[in-house]
Amino acid sequence: MVVGSMIIPKYSDPKTIYTPKGIQFDMLSEHGVNLTYMQAWRAKEKALQFLRGHPADSYNKLPNYLYILEKTYPGSVVKLKKTDDDCFLYVFVAICTSISGWEYCRPVVVIDETFLKSAYKGIMLTTSTMDAAGTILPLAYAVVDLENDTSWKWFFEQFKLAYGERPNMCVVSDRNESILKVRASTDYIYTVIDGVRRYIVCLENKKCSCGQFQFDELPCPHALAALRQRDESFEEYCSSYYTRANLLRTYEIPVNPLPDENKWNVSQHITEKVVNSPKGGKRQPGRPQKERYKIYDEINSKKYKVSCGNCGGEGHNKRSCKNAPKMK
């Protein structure tokens, strides 16, 4: 508790990175106190709790925080979902500036997720796009308990409520198993819903409407989702080119090093053959060329042209200029 109170100023700036090892070093060098790593870690937790409060208390501040968000940014979409006994379940936030800016960006939405390291863990879901300058524009974020069908469905419902739908809208994701929805049409034909897009997978012919299955000759993410639905292994749907046997056959003939020249046994008719050096093979004086010789089209495709410093004409320089004024 004493060490925790001593290091509180170190954490006054949220950007400060002060690790337990740093605490150990400072306590030993400045006060001669040798702390274990666990003691330093507990001191850090005490200092953070003093500054930021207990993690459980922050959930009680959520309603106030969301209310201020809506008041400060009118037009924002914020949603809080709780369990029947008022425990936190989901929260969704889309700021009005992102909602209005979305109209002027390409209809491409990138979805990502990451796990949280807080005391109560959870998953953070994010959506973003790119503006005209190629900069990332955050669209919305949510915190959910788990990454499953229920949480993804709720997240997409809130996103649709905030942003609606646009023609040719494309959703890019890591194709989490919860996002891909699989419906069996026949024994070998499946419909896979990937975000807002629908793909048809034919396992019998090893094809998918995305084109990747037949092009790579490997099951695409949509085919893998269909195979998981069937509880079937993917190996038999991969081309033989990717098998271990083919890999071994590729390198089954070893490449051994040549024997020493003194041990070469060459036939006489081979040794009698004459090979002279090429004509003009003597190296020209000067520094050896490092770049390869360019063909005619490459030389003529230069983006710049030589201009003359005397007359300003193109195609020649000052030294070879024929339009230079004659000396009297």
Side-chain angles (χ1 to χ4, degrees):
M1 187 68 179
V2 176
V3 177
S5 61
M6 293 172 64
I7 63 174
I8 287 175
K10 295 280 189 178
Y11 294 102
S12 57
D13 184 359
K15 297 180 180 179
T16 301
I17 300 177
Y18 193 43
T19 63
K21 285 190 175 293
I23 297 173
Q24 286 179 289
F25 179 83
D26 289 347
M27 287 296 112
L28 183 60
S29 60
E30 297 176 9
H31 305 284
V33 179
N34 192 6
L35 298 178
T36 65
Y37 183 88
M38 185 55 66
Q39 288 173 329
W41 182 85
R42 290 196 187 110
K44 174 187 175 182
E45 293 300 306
K46 288 291 184 182
L48 291 176
Q49 184 174 332
F50 178 85
L51 287 172
R52 305 174 186 175
H54 197 275
D57 298 333
S58 62
Y59 288 93
N60 290 325
K61 299 179 180 179
L62 263 178
N64 295 341
Y65 171 73
L66 298 179
Y67 174 80
I68 294 298
L69 270 182
E70 287 187 291
K71 284 290 185 181
T72 307
Y73 308 108
S76 300
V77 177
V78 294
K79 296 290 180 181
L80 176 64
K81 185 176 178 63
K82 301 183 291 182
T83 61
D84 294 336
D85 52 351
D86 290 333
C87 292
F88 172 84
L89 193 59
Y90 310 138
V91 66
F92 176 92
V93 176
I95 303 299
C96 60
T97 52
S98 297
I99 296 175
S100 61
W102 162 245
E103 290 184 50
Y104 308 100
C105 299
R106 290 182 300 167
V108 178
V109 180
V110 179
I111 301 173
D112 202 2
E113 76 284 338
T114 184
F115 62 91
L116 301 177
K117 297 181 180 180
S118 61
Y120 297 93
K121 299 183 179 180
I123 304 292
M124 186 173 188
L125 310 177
T126 64
T127 56
S128 60
T129 188
M130 295 187 72
D131 60 15
T135 306
I136 295 176
L137 173 67
L139 296 178
Y141 67 89
V143 176
V144 299
D145 57 345
L146 297 171
E147 188 182 6
N148 51 32
D149 291 354
T150 306
S151 61
W152 274 114
K153 180 182 178 182
W154 185 85
F155 177 74
F156 279 120
E157 287 174 348
Q158 308 314 311
F159 184 85
K160 183 178 179 181
L161 179 66
Y163 289 93
E165 295 183 13
R166 288 175 58 181
N168 302 319
M169 184 172 170
C170 176
V171 178
V172 181
S173 71
D174 63 353
R175 293 182 174 86
N176 183 273
E177 198 173 26
S178 299
I179 298 179
L180 295 176
K181 306 300 178 184
V182 183
R183 298 173 185 171
S185 302
T186 65
D187 289 341
Y188 288 95
I189 298 178
Y190 289 80
T191 301
V192 181
I193 302 174
D194 186 356
V196 296
R197 296 206 169 195
R198 187 186 305 266
Y199 297 93
I200 306 299
V201 177
C202 180
L203 296 176
E204 186 175 18
N205 296 329
K206 299 180 182 178
K207 291 183 178 181
C208 177
S209 58
C210 74
Q212 186 179 343
F213 195 177
Q214 52 269 35
F215 180 80
D216 294 336
E217 297 188 59
L218 284 173
C220 62
H222 314 114
L224 289 174
L227 290 171
R228 280 193 293 266
Q229 178 86 354
R230 292 166 59 96
D231 195 21
E232 187 175 349
S233 177
F234 64 88
E235 281 86 354
E236 64 176 284
Y237 294 92
C238 300
S239 171
S240 59
Y241 295 125
Y242 300 100
T243 60
R244 180 176 179 271
N246 271 38
L247 177 63
L248 294 176
R249 290 192 188 101
T250 304
Y251 302 101
E252 64 182 354
I253 301 178
V255 181
N256 297 316
L258 290 174
D260 188 85
E261 188 178 358
N262 296 326
K263 299 179 180 179
W264 289 5
N265 184 13
V266 184
S267 302
Q268 185 178 357
H269 74 281
I270 299 295
T271 58
E272 292 176 349
K273 290 185 176 182
V274 178
V275 180
N276 296 317
S277 59
K279 293 181 179 180
K282 189 175 181 181
R283 187 177 72 82
Q284 299 296 320
R287 182 175 296 178
Q289 180 172 333
K290 294 184 178 180
E291 294 184 0
R292 66 178 178 85
Y293 289 99
K294 297 182 178 180
I295 62 176
Y296 178 79
D297 291 339
E298 287 182 295
I299 297 174
N300 289 340
S301 64
K302 290 182 178 180
K303 295 182 179 180
Y304 63 90
K305 293 183 178 180
V306 178
S307 60
C308 178
N310 284 332
C311 66
E314 295 183 348
H316 64 279
N317 56 24
K318 182 178 180 180
R319 181 177 297 178
S320 61
C321 181
K322 297 180 181 180
N323 300 323
K326 296 181 180 180
M327 299 295 294
K328 293 183 179 179

